[in-house]
């Protein structure tokens, strides 16, 4: 895999924080044109009421329209377990292609069984417009972007490099937040360590943008750092922590973590590319709760 990093290309990055899920979505603009991408959009759900709304996605749509931008891509860094993607909703209004890592098929196979989806649920990634392999490139206007396979949190995790900016999904958190869990089906702490090292092999000046921030120790929410800052200060992998040390720490820590509140609806929607499950015979859509299935 060859990633051609060009730090002279500096895309404009606008972050949108969703306090309900601590997710940051991004509009990334090609500096030389009006083309843009949206990374990790959020669809709102009131899970207790079974109600879907689109306030957060509408903010992104309004921003893109107000700035006179053209949407080329809707990027999913991975199959999120803590929020629902709004990619199809945004695509219907703004166009663009929806892309995710090719190992979405592994995730679909795993959770297709968990949710007993049957043969009508396609497990070939066909719900997405593009499946990225490690090192694949794509264009946002005139800006060439690259997808890096960074598994460990999930098998399909990708880091997307756009000029001097990289969008790491859940592979890394801010330096005082450390790293994401690796105990979901298909996750692996050793793989996560290797993927983090891959990200940290990018130039020190590379801007890194997080998918989540939880404001550790009461600080304000932040989502931008650099490779150099992560290498020096990340509490889980900084200052040369070894693979063995990381795996031991991550494994012990993950055993103490509760399941994300929205994991059940999120997986059912996100493995479909952000679409809701198909309607039942009565024309209504339902989400399943597998008992003792996760």
């Amino acid at each position: 895999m060859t990633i051609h990093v060009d730090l002279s290309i500096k895309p404009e990055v606008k972050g949108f924080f969703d306090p309900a899920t601590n997710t940051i979505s991004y509009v990334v603009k090609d500096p030389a044109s009006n083309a843009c991408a949206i990374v990790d959009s959020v669809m709102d759900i009131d899970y207790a009421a079974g109600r879907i709304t689109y306030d957060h996605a509408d903010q992104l749509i309004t921003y893109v329209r107000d700035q006179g931008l053209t949407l080329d891509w809707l990027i999913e860094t991975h199959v999120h377990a803590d929020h629902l993607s709004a990619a199809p909703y945004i695509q219907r209004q703004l166009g663009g292609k929806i892309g995710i890592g090719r190992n979405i098929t592994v995730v679909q196979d795993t959770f297709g069984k968990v949710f007993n989806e049957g043969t009508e649920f396609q497990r070939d990634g066909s719900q997405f417009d593009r499946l990225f392999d490690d090192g694949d490139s794509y264009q946002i206007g005139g800006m060439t972007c690259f997808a890096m396979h960074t598994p460990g949190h999930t098998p399909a995790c990708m880091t997307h490099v756009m000029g001097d900016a990289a969008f790491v999904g859940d592979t890394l958190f801010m330096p005082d937040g450390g790293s994401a869990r690796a105990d979901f089906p298909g996750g692996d702490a050793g793989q996560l360590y290797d993927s983090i090292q891959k990200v940290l092999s990018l130039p020190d000046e590379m801007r890194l943008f997080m998918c989540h921030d939880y404001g550790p120790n009461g600080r304000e929410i932040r989502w931008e750092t650099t490779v150099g800052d992560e290498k020096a200060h990340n509490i889980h992998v900084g200052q040369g922590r070894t693979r063995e040390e990381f795996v031991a720490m991550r494994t012990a820590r993950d055993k103490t973590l509760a399941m994300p509140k929205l994991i059940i609806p999120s997986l059912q929607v996100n493995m479909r590319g952000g679409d809701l499950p198909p309607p039942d015979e009565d024309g209504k859509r339902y989400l399943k709760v597998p008992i003792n299935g996760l």
Side-chain angles (χ1 to χ4, degrees), residues 122-144:
Q122 298 298 310
R123 295 160 167 82
D124 58 0
S126 57
Q127 301 89 342
F128 300 83
D129 299 310
R130 172 82 181 270
L131 302 183
F132 295 110
D133 288 306
D134 192 32
D136 276 358
S137 65
Y138 58 98
Q139 297 293 127
I140 301 173
M143 178 171 59
T144 302

Side-chain angles (χ1 to χ4, degrees), residues 251-272:
T251 303
R253 182 176 173 81
D254 287 350
K255 289 177 181 177
T256 71
L257 300 178
M259 281 286 137
K261 294 176 183 177
L262 296 179
I263 186 170
I264 288 175
S266 296
L267 291 173
Q268 289 175 82
V269 169
N270 295 339
M271 70 183 184
R272 291 180 164 87

Side-chain angles (χ1 to χ4, degrees), residues 44-59:
D44 305 308
I45 182 171
D46 181 341
Y47 193 27
R51 186 174 297 114
I52 296 288
T53 53
Y54 298 96
D55 293 349
H56 189 269
D58 286 340
Q59 290 181 41

Side-chain angles (χ1 to χ4, degrees), residues 9-201:
I9 299 174
K10 301 182 184 300
E12 298 174 24
V13 180
K14 173 70 172 177
F16 294 81
F17 179 68
D18 175 46
T21 63
N22 287 78
T23 303
I24 303 97
S25 305
Y26 298 98
V27 177
V28 188
K29 179 188 173 296
D30 171 24
S33 74
N34 285 327
C36 72
I38 288 176
V39 181
D40 290 334
S41 62
V42 174
M43 179 167 65
D44 305 308
I45 182 171
D46 181 341
Y47 193 27
R51 186 174 297 114
I52 296 288
T53 53
Y54 298 96
D55 293 349
H56 189 269
D58 286 340
Q59 290 181 41
L60 301 175
I61 292 167
T62 298
Y63 180 81
V64 169
R65 286 176 172 161
D66 286 351
Q67 297 297 312
L69 305 179
T70 299
L71 184 62
D72 284 356
W73 285 96
L74 289 141
I75 298 296
E76 299 291 333
T77 55
H78 63 294
V79 175
H80 309 278
D82 45 24
H83 73 269
L84 285 63
S85 169
Y89 172 80
I90 296 172
Q91 185 183 51
R92 287 191 290 270
Q93 300 194 52
L94 296 178
K97 296 179 180 179
I98 303 174
I100 199 168
R102 182 170 300 280
N103 276 4
I104 177 61
T105 57
V106 177
V107 177
Q108 288 176 328
D109 186 57
T110 298
F111 289 104
K113 294 172 183 172
V114 169
F115 293 107
N116 193 30
E117 290 295 347
T119 55
E120 65 273 14
F121 171 58
Q122 298 298 310
R123 295 160 167 82
D124 58 0
S126 57
Q127 301 89 342
F128 300 83
D129 299 310
R130 172 82 181 270
L131 302 183
F132 295 110
D133 288 306
D134 192 32
D136 276 358
S137 65
Y138 58 98
Q139 297 293 127
I140 301 173
M143 178 171 59
T144 302
C145 307
F146 298 91
M148 295 169 54
H149 188 211
T150 49
H153 175 63
T154 80
C157 287
M158 306 290 283
T159 292
H160 287 264
V161 178
M162 306 178 184
D164 76 335
F167 298 83
V168 300
D170 285 8
T171 301
L172 271 173
F173 291 156
M174 293 296 288
D176 59 348
S179 60
R181 64 196 300 163
D183 62 332
F184 294 151
D188 182 275
Q191 273 192 337
L192 181 58
Y193 180 87
D194 296 341
S195 293
I196 290 170
Q197 298 310 310
K198 197 170 174 180
V199 172
L200 298 184
S201 70

